[in-house]
Each structure stands twice: as structure tokens, then as C-alpha cells.
Amino acid sequence: MLWLKNAHVIDPAQGISGIMDVAVQGGRVLTLGQGIAAAGLPDGGEAEVTDCAGKYLFPGLVDAHVHLREPGQEEKEDISSGSRAAVRGGVTSLICMANTSPVIDSQALVAFVAERGRRAALARIYPMAAVTKGMRGEELTEMAELAASGAKGFSDDGRGIQNGEIMRLALEYAKLTGCPVVSHCEDEFLAGKGVMRRGPASAAHGLTGVPAAAESVMAARDVLLAGETGGRLHLAHVSAKGTLAALRAGKAAGWDVTAEVNPHHLILTDEDVPLTNSDFKVNPPLPSAEDRDALLAALADGAIDMLASDHAPHTWEEKACPFEEAPFGMAALETALAALWTYLVRPGKLTAERLIDAYARRPAERFALAAGTLKPGAPADMVLFDPDWEETVTAESMASKSANTPFLGRKLRGYPVKTWVGGHLIFERRA
Ligand code: DOR
């Protein structure tokens, strides 16, 4: 038995935030409470005891938006390296996107990803399946079969579904599976060849900009389609105020709509984009300060349901080229929590409780994963978090194969120091 004493436990699913002990047995949470007495434990307290004073203990994070690149792009990441990166970042369950090579659009590929995840034996890895065959946006995948094989949602993430009728049908058919359709909202005509958010910063750099409407227009379409079909819609990586208007309207109407936001869209803006560093190039692009503030407010008030990293690794070679030519995406699994803590929780812009709610309880609930809480009987997927642990982000320290993060070289404060999955200690941070 594992007995963790005097931790500040945060578990929004139980409304808990306070100093407590947690006992774990057989891979599950046995009990938790203030000053658990050894006599109350089944084996009289025969346990491995860890004093957690000064640290937080919370459910392992659940990341609903991760690119693990396997099969086909293993030079960027694979399921094993991505799993190591996940647990270093405190993520114990994740859903990985279908824009691999080949695209995850068949039962065999869904089963392959799940099996590779099991073999990596670190975080719990769940596949997202594509909405359309080959992500070509033309013909729906066999959704019922894919869900039966273990897909937890459907997404053509990486590309917007341009054809509204295809999206309408996807929302209709996905209802049979209970899985959400995750929309990468991007009107390709509006986005054009843009490489960063359109505005004064893109003009100053002389770079082609993507208007915020490229996202919001499609978000509004998809929210309306969710209303019309009664389908289950989840908006990936929202980055613009107009998208929030559509989201809030859909929620107010009682439609089954949720949304996520990525840490980088809450912390950085288009003003931070250096012309010479394509690690800041991401899709959707870094927002204006006004949009960033609106995103933070929406996360705090619950209009945005959850946090997700959108971990999108690319090799150094791919990124080491002019901004216009580099691929979109940021590696984020290992820095998401530390960056959120450093830039939002420490300065009082986001509570620790809402962070855990949005990055554990809510995604687990939305994607029906057995995770996101420390309720007695739940799998003991846990993070011991030291709010004062400082570390500079370096390529060498990362488990991910790629280090394309805008936080490279920055010192972040607040890191996971131990991560357990199913009661097994699978990561321990050392100085
Ligand atoms: O920046 C991004 N990179 N946004 C996406 O939607 C896809 C992702 C990728 O796969 O690299």
C-alpha cells in the first residue's frame, strides 16, 4: 500500500482542495481524508509512506489533444517517446490525433495505436479517429466500427472540414457512437497562405496574416450544425473572441458543445512572435492580446471547458528554416503544466483548482475516460507537484524527440516531481 501524507490535494470532482492523506492499494485510490489513521487502513498501515508536505497532489492530467506522430512520422515523435514526455509533464491519459501517415481511419490503425500505447506502459493512450477517409474531407469513416475498436472521438485535426454537409453528416453519425466530433475550425479560403495572426504584428513583420475569422466562421457553422443535428461537438484549440461568441451562444441554447484552449494561446500573443524563430509558429496562430484576455476569461468562467496541450512535435531540421516555410506546431506535453503554473497560477490569473478541473476532470468526463479524479475506487493516476521546483526548458532535458517550444531557454516554476499511473510510480524528477 502507498500512503501519501500531508499533501495539498486538489480534486475538483469531489470539491476537494486542502491538506490530506491519500492511501492507494491495488492500483486504485483506497481512501483519502484529513489525517487518515493507520488503524483505519486494511493492513493496519503497513505502507510505503511519503511525506508530501508543501506539495500538491492531484489527479493525473488528461490531455485530449496530442500529436504522437506514429505511424509514419517517427522522426518527430513516437508513441513511446510521447508517453515519456506525457508523464514528465504530469499527463497520465491522453488522446492522440489522427493526422499520422497513414491517417488513423481504419479499425486496424485504431487498434495499432492503442496497442502501442499499452506496450509503452506509461500514460494511458487513447486514439482519436479521423472524421473523413484519409482526412480528405470528402467521405466519412466507418465511425461505429472505429468507436468499437477504441476511438474516443473523431477529428480531422490539422485541417478544417471545408464541406458543411460532410460536417453535418459527421455530427449526425457520431451520435450513434456517443463520441464527440472534434472540429479544427479553419476556413481555408479565409486562412489563405497566412502564417501568423493577421494584425499590426503580422504587418510589422511583413508576413501574411490569418484573420481570426478563419476560425470563428467555421466555429459558428459547426455550433449551428450541432444545434440542428443534436450532435456532440468539441471545438479544438479555440483562439479568437468570435469563436467564443459562437460557443457561448451554443451553450446558452443548450446544445452539446464544448471547447478547449491551449496554454500557448493563453500565455503568448502575436506581439511575442519573433520573425527569426519558427517555434512560435502554430495553427491557429498566437492571438492578439485582446483575444488572449478573452480566452482567459472564458476559461475562468467555464465557457471554455478544458485545457489541452496540442503537443505538435516537429524536428529541428523542419523548424530551422524561414518562418513562412516552417510547419505549424509546438511541442508542449512537458511544458504545458509548468507554463500554466508560472504564467497564470502564480500571478493569480487562474486558480489551481480551475486548472486541474479543466485539465483533468472535464476532459475525462467529455471523452468518457476512467480518469480525472481521486475518488476512492478510481485508478490511482496521480501527480505530486512542487510549486517551487524551478527548471530551465532545454532540448536536452526533454523526453520528446522534438524541442520546438517557444519556452525554450525560459525558467519555469512549478513542476510535477512524481507521476503514478495505476498506483505505479512511473516518473520521478531529479535535480
Ligand atoms: O500547429 C498545429 N500543428 N496545428 C494543428 O492543428 C496541427 C498540428 C500538427 O499536426 O503539427
Side-chain angles (χ1 to χ4, degrees):
M1 190 175 64
L2 187 63
W3 188 1
L4 305 169
K5 291 179 122 173
N6 306 316
H8 183 139
V9 176
I10 299 181
D11 186 14
Q14 300 185 80
I16 287 175
S17 179
I19 308 296
M20 284 190 184
D21 295 355
V22 176
V24 170
Q25 196 171 45
R28 295 185 176 271
V29 178
L30 178 68
T31 182
L32 72 174
Q34 275 167 342
I36 298 173
L41 299 174
D43 53 5
E46 275 299 309
E48 183 193 328
V49 178
T50 305
D51 184 23
C52 304
K55 301 192 178 66
Y56 290 91
L57 185 78
F58 40 72
L61 302 179
V62 179
D63 198 328
H65 192 148
V66 173
H67 297 269
L68 292 185
R69 308 300 192 200
E70 191 179 347
Q73 298 167 328
E74 290 85 353
E75 70 284 2
K76 299 174 195 265
E77 196 76 287
D78 61 39
I79 290 173
S80 177
S81 63
S83 301
R84 282 200 299 282
V87 297
R88 281 178 55 85
V91 172
T92 56
S93 294
L94 65 85
I95 308 181
C96 55
M97 285 295 174
N99 63 337
T100 49
S101 182
V103 165
I104 310 297
D105 60 3
S106 68
Q107 282 189 293
L109 284 163
V110 167
F112 168 83
V113 170
E115 177 56 23
R116 298 296 276 205
R118 276 191 291 276
R119 283 199 202 173
L122 291 167
R124 301 178 198 270
I125 308 294
Y126 300 99
M128 188 78 81
V131 176
T132 66
K133 292 184 180 163
M135 277 180 52
R136 285 183 292 274
E138 292 161 3
E139 194 185 344
L140 293 182
T141 52
E142 303 292 342
M143 290 181 161
E145 289 176 8
L146 295 170
S149 300
K152 294 295 175 189
F154 300 100
S155 185
D156 279 7
D157 181 69
R159 278 200 76 182
I161 294 174
Q162 305 302 307
N163 182 330
E165 173 62 0
I166 294 287
M167 190 59 173
R168 191 187 68 78
L169 288 169
L171 285 161
E172 194 71 74
Y173 282 106
K175 280 197 292 186
L176 301 170
T177 69
C179 296
V181 176
V182 178
S183 180
H184 168 114
C185 297
E186 181 181 5
D187 180 308
E188 288 175 1
F189 296 97
L190 284 167
K193 294 201 182 315
V195 294
M196 67 179 286
R197 173 67 74 233
R198 182 185 292 172
S202 67
H205 281 331
L207 290 174
T208 310
V210 179
E215 172 182 292
S216 309
V217 161
M218 191 176 282
R221 178 199 77 178
D222 291 350
V223 168
L224 290 168
L225 290 173
E228 185 176 305
T229 57
R232 213 170 257 210
L233 174 70
H234 177 75
L235 302 178
H237 45 49
V238 303
S239 73
K241 232 170 42 172
T243 305
L244 297 176
L247 174 67
R248 287 184 193 277
K251 289 192 165 194
W255 300 338
D256 194 351
V257 188
T258 54
E260 79 198 22
V261 64
N262 308 143
H264 45 265
H265 291 127
L266 295 168
I267 295 169
L268 302 167
T269 71
D270 56 354
E271 299 289 338
D272 297 313
V273 175
L275 190 51
T276 50
N277 187 347
S278 64
D279 286 345
F280 286 73
K281 182 172 174 182
V282 67
N283 190 18
L286 295 176
S288 66
E290 191 186 339
D291 280 4
R292 189 263 318 263
D293 293 347
L295 294 169
L296 194 51
L299 176 65
D301 73 25
I304 293 179
D305 301 80
M306 66 188 81
L307 287 155
S309 69
D310 195 2
H311 176 71
H314 294 291
T315 63
W316 181 85
E317 290 82 357
E318 289 170 298
K319 281 288 198 178
C321 62
F323 200 91
E324 291 96 320
E325 289 158 35
F328 292 95
M330 297 174 173
L333 272 173
E334 286 164 270
T335 51
L337 177 58
L340 289 164
W341 198 272
T342 305
Y343 294 106
L344 301 182
V345 177
R346 289 194 83 83
K349 295 179 179 172
L350 179 71
T351 65
E353 288 78 9
R354 177 64 185 131
L355 190 165
I356 303 308
D357 186 51
Y359 210 172
R361 183 192 69 83
R362 202 60 189 103
E365 181 181 75
R366 180 58 164 164
F367 290 92
L369 310 179
T373 178
L374 300 177
K375 279 185 189 152
D381 298 356
M382 312 180 291
V383 172
L384 189 67
F385 180 84
D386 183 346
D388 294 316
W389 187 288
E390 283 191 329
E391 215 173 278
T392 301
V393 180
T394 62
E396 297 70 37
S397 65
M398 286 195 204
S400 172
K401 289 186 183 179
S402 300
N404 51 311
T405 159
F407 299 116
L408 213 55
R410 296 202 197 189
K411 188 184 271 183
L412 303 180
R413 186 163 171 198
Y415 275 93
V417 289
K418 288 186 185 199
T419 306
W420 293 266
V421 172
H424 294 291
L425 182 67
I426 46 163
F427 168 68
E428 187 164 7
R429 190 173 298 273
R430 293 178 207 281

